[in-house]
Amino acid sequence: MLVLGGIKQRVKWPAAGIWLDLVPLPEDKDQAFVQETMTEVRDDDGKLINIQRDATKYAQLVGRYCIKDWGNVVGDGGVEAHCTPENIDDFMLIGEAQEFVFGKVKGLALYRQQEIEDAGNA
């Protein structure tokens, strides 16, 4: 059974020694974040000459939307960091964290994980 909607999955990231509670990133939200973080640059005649994208802001928007909780994430001073919007922003500045989160929340990865777990419980 393929479950649609805002399912939340706990995903372990063994290499980092942490876990994240994630929800999938729907295509419409992804497109809205892309639009929100793009700027068109035009010349004096209004001709489009460049499109600039704020990749950092995009990653932070995805993180804030998709990360619902976490554990074993350490902040400044070696103290465990609470899952707050500001801490999510800092977490999503880490390239490896972006890659991990994007790989889990885009596409069907989280939906398929629920399907596999449901099959094991049958």
Side-chain angles (χ1 to χ4, degrees):
M1 173 174 75
L2 181 63
V3 178
L4 300 178
I7 62 168
K8 180 172 65 172
Q9 289 289 319
R10 178 155 295 173
V11 178
K12 294 180 182 177
W13 185 7
I18 67 172
W19 57 264
L20 301 164
D21 284 345
L22 301 173
V23 297
L25 179 63
E27 184 65 28
D28 62 332
K29 271 291 186 198
D30 187 40
Q31 289 304 311
F33 294 156
V34 167
Q35 288 297 318
E36 188 175 334
T37 57
M38 275 187 357
T39 304
E40 294 181 350
V41 179
R42 299 186 178 271
D43 64 14
D44 293 337
D45 296 326
K47 180 181 173 187
L48 180 65
I49 57 173
N50 195 8
I51 295 178
Q52 297 175 339
R53 198 157 161 233
D54 186 344
T56 299
K57 179 68 174 172
Y58 171 80
Q60 291 171 329
L61 289 169
V62 170
R64 283 185 178 213
Y65 182 85
C66 295
I67 299 171
K68 300 304 179 189
D69 198 8
W70 63 31
N72 301 326
V73 176
V74 178
D76 292 335
V79 177
E80 187 162 351
H82 297 285
C83 187
T84 64
E86 296 78 19
N87 285 341
I88 291 171
D89 287 350
D90 289 345
F91 179 77
M92 292 302 286
L93 293 176
I94 302 167
E96 294 84 358
Q98 283 182 27
E99 290 176 27
F100 183 82
V101 171
F102 291 168
K104 299 296 181 187
V105 301
K106 293 184 177 193
L108 296 175
L110 288 178
Y111 296 113
R112 292 206 26 86
Q113 180 63 33
Q114 182 65 49
E115 183 178 315
I116 291 166
E117 288 177 11
D118 288 347
N121 293 332

